[in-house]
Amino acid sequence: MKRKELPKLIEEIRKLPYQEPVLKEYAEKLISLEISILSSEYPYELSNEEHFLDKVVIVLTHSYNRIVGSRFWGHLHVIPEDKHVHQMLSVVFKEEDPHFLSLRSDIRKEYNQIFSKPAGDVLRLIAERLGSLPQPLEENFEKWMVQEGSRLERMLWILILGKFMSRKGFLEHQNLKRITEVLDTFNPDTYKKLIIPYLQSNDFQNFKSELMKQLIGRLGDPRETTKKWRSVPGNAVKKVKSWLYKYDLFQFLDSERFKYWEKYVPNIKALNFEQNPPMAAMEFDRFVVLEFGNTGNAAYFYEVEGFNTYILPKFSITNVEGDLKDKEAHFYIHKLSHISNRGRPTWYNTFDDYMEHFMKGDFKYRKSSSGGWRR
């Protein structure tokens, strides 16, 4: 019956003039089966001519029944950007009783308002409302009757993540495991469009480890290769590197030293490690700080060019800490010990004094025993 009736209905509507009175008169003559076929088979394969779908909307609006409403709610999930579907649903939410789709009354009111707006705003408005609610998105999709796995759900994910990933507090309400699962389904270009605003709007100290581990998995470590990072702004890449430096130092240093060096992570230009003996070289603009993993060792400060030329190559060929402690080298700056008093790291203040001067390139600075400073 559908194969027989649908072409007949399409041809009849095509021949009608685009005049509302004529279309309404035609609609009054349709039987429920014909209305069901028209609403179920939308948007048809032969509907490219101008105003054809506009005429269908007028016909179905004037001959409306609940089957039309149910079918077009289903069409929204398959072709969510279709303006004629939006137009029909504006009729649906005006005509249907409060029990339509078994929606909660407050959500029904939200949909009534959303579908009263221009068709082009519908998806944006749904996304903005869902993204602003203080519950995980998958819970809100279920309450708002958004079908899991539908094209509508996918488009809403894109719109919501694109708008809200950069907003403070949004991720605090979300299931990060689910967020990463969804992000993993997008191609590289879409993925980067969604993650870049997050990187740019947050301090690296606040990055979520789940998102960062996924990011490194997809684009690679930017300290090693930037091939997949080419379209990511430089400031965002720098933040990712800082997050990686912080993560690596956290794994390497004891808590006392990590707490100190954490604040200098944004100034680190490169970070090199060696496991035997364990050591970390933190490179700043003009100098390098060499910290040893084994406690009881002082931190050594070297000028960056000399360190990279003479000390760094030794990392892979020596397992003796003393080979890396060269106070006679022309690029040697100073060494500082990690002195504590009754469990309190009193060395923090001393290191801060030296770091303040060394960051300015004042490598001859020495703190005097009287508490002042000398050169």
Side-chain angles (χ1 to χ4, degrees), residues 124-136:
R124 176 182 62 81
L125 292 172
I126 295 175
E128 288 180 355
R129 190 68 192 102
L130 290 174
S132 64
L133 295 173
Q135 294 90 29

Side-chain angles (χ1 to χ4, degrees), residues 253-271:
L253 296 172
D254 56 81
S255 60
E256 183 178 295
R257 284 187 293 171
F258 173 75
K259 185 177 179 181
Y260 178 78
W261 288 113
E262 182 182 12
K263 64 186 175 185
Y264 289 104
V265 166
N267 304 106
I268 294 176
K269 305 300 180 184
L271 184 59

Side-chain angles (χ1 to χ4, degrees), residues 274-277 279 311-324:
E274 182 58 45
Q275 297 303 320
N276 186 26
M279 51 197 169
I311 301 291
L312 188 58
K314 294 182 181 180
F315 271 32
S316 59
I317 61 175
T318 183
N319 58 5
V320 179
E321 292 172 343
D323 290 345
L324 307 172

Side-chain angles (χ1 to χ4, degrees), residues 41 45 47 53 55 62 88 102 104 128 138 191 205 211 215 236-237 249 294 321 332 335 340 362:
E41 298 306 307
E45 294 182 3
S47 57
L53 293 180
K55 291 191 284 186
H62 195 65
M88 278 306 308
S102 300
R104 280 181 3 195
E128 288 180 355
E138 58 269 28
Y191 174 78
Q205 302 276 17
L211 294 176
L215 176 64
V237 177
L249 286 175
N294 298 321
E321 292 172 343
Y332 169 79
K335 75 168 187 176
S340 297
D362 183 7

Side-chain angles (χ1 to χ4, degrees), residues 86-319:
H86 299 173
Q87 290 170 0
M88 278 306 308
L89 286 172
S90 69
V91 175
V92 171
F93 281 99
K94 286 178 184 176
E95 295 289 336
E96 285 296 341
D97 62 43
H99 304 294
F100 180 62
L101 300 177
S102 300
L103 290 164
R104 280 181 3 195
S105 60
D106 58 326
I107 296 175
R108 172 60 188 273
K109 290 178 182 177
E110 296 271 13
Y111 271 135
N112 285 354
Q113 292 179 359
I114 288 171
F115 282 102
S116 68
K117 305 298 182 183
D121 293 336
V122 165
L123 294 183
R124 176 182 62 81
L125 292 172
I126 295 175
E128 288 180 355
R129 190 68 192 102
L130 290 174
S132 64
L133 295 173
Q135 294 90 29
L137 283 172
E138 58 269 28
E139 291 184 16
N140 291 327
F141 285 151
E142 184 177 356
K143 293 174 184 176
W144 284 57
M145 298 297 173
V146 177
Q147 297 171 11
E148 184 178 356
S150 66
R151 179 169 168 76
L152 172 62
E153 184 199 44
R154 186 170 180 80
M155 288 198 66
L156 289 175
W157 272 113
I158 293 174
L159 290 171
I160 294 170
L161 295 180
K163 187 176 183 66
F164 288 91
M165 280 278 284
S166 60
R167 292 198 181 182
K168 185 177 180 181
F170 170 72
L171 289 176
E172 307 308 320
H173 302 299
Q174 300 303 318
N175 177 351
L176 285 178
K177 183 176 183 295
R178 180 58 180 150
I179 295 290
T180 56
E181 288 174 350
V182 172
L183 286 171
D184 239 359
T185 66
F186 297 126
N187 63 45
D189 289 338
T190 301
Y191 174 78
K192 283 190 272 191
K193 285 179 182 178
L194 297 176
I195 202 69
I196 286 173
Y198 171 76
L199 299 175
Q200 291 182 308
S201 62
N202 284 280
D203 187 276
F204 78 91
Q205 302 276 17
N206 299 322
F207 285 164
K208 301 293 185 184
S209 60
E210 296 91 337
L211 294 176
M212 299 309 294
K213 290 175 182 178
Q214 179 190 55
L215 176 64
I216 302 306
R218 293 201 63 168
L219 304 187
D221 189 330
R223 299 170 300 179
E224 299 172 359
T225 175
T226 57
K227 182 178 180 180
K228 295 181 179 180
W229 291 82
R230 288 173 184 166
S231 59
V232 181
N235 67 325
V237 177
K238 184 177 184 298
K239 287 183 181 182
V240 173
K241 289 181 179 179
S242 291
W243 185 88
L244 288 166
Y245 293 147
K246 176 186 172 182
Y247 179 82
D248 288 345
L249 286 175
F250 177 78
Q251 300 293 319
F252 179 81
L253 296 172
D254 56 81
S255 60
E256 183 178 295
R257 284 187 293 171
F258 173 75
K259 185 177 179 181
Y260 178 78
W261 288 113
E262 182 182 12
K263 64 186 175 185
Y264 289 104
V265 166
N267 304 106
I268 294 176
K269 305 300 180 184
L271 184 59
N272 290 285
F273 290 95
E274 182 58 45
Q275 297 303 320
N276 186 26
M279 51 197 169
M282 294 173 279
E283 181 179 320
F284 295 88
D285 276 332
R286 297 176 59 185
F287 67 96
V288 174
V289 182
L290 183 60
E291 281 276 22
F292 295 90
N294 298 321
T295 57
N297 287 286
Y300 277 70
F301 294 74
Y302 296 101
E303 292 183 41
V304 65
E305 185 175 347
F307 177 87
N308 288 338
T309 302
Y310 299 103
I311 301 291
L312 188 58
K314 294 182 181 180
F315 271 32
S316 59
I317 61 175
T318 183
N319 58 5

Side-chain angles (χ1 to χ4, degrees), residues 30-63:
L30 295 178
I31 61 175
S32 60
L33 177 61
E34 292 170 321
I35 296 168
S36 176
I37 291 173
L38 269 179
S39 57
S40 299
E41 298 306 307
Y42 181 91
Y44 328 115
E45 294 182 3
L46 307 173
S47 57
N48 294 325
E49 64 185 68
E50 187 179 13
H51 297 309
F52 176 76
L53 293 180
D54 295 315
K55 291 191 284 186
V56 170
V57 167
I58 294 174
V59 168
L60 290 178
T61 297
H62 195 65
S63 56

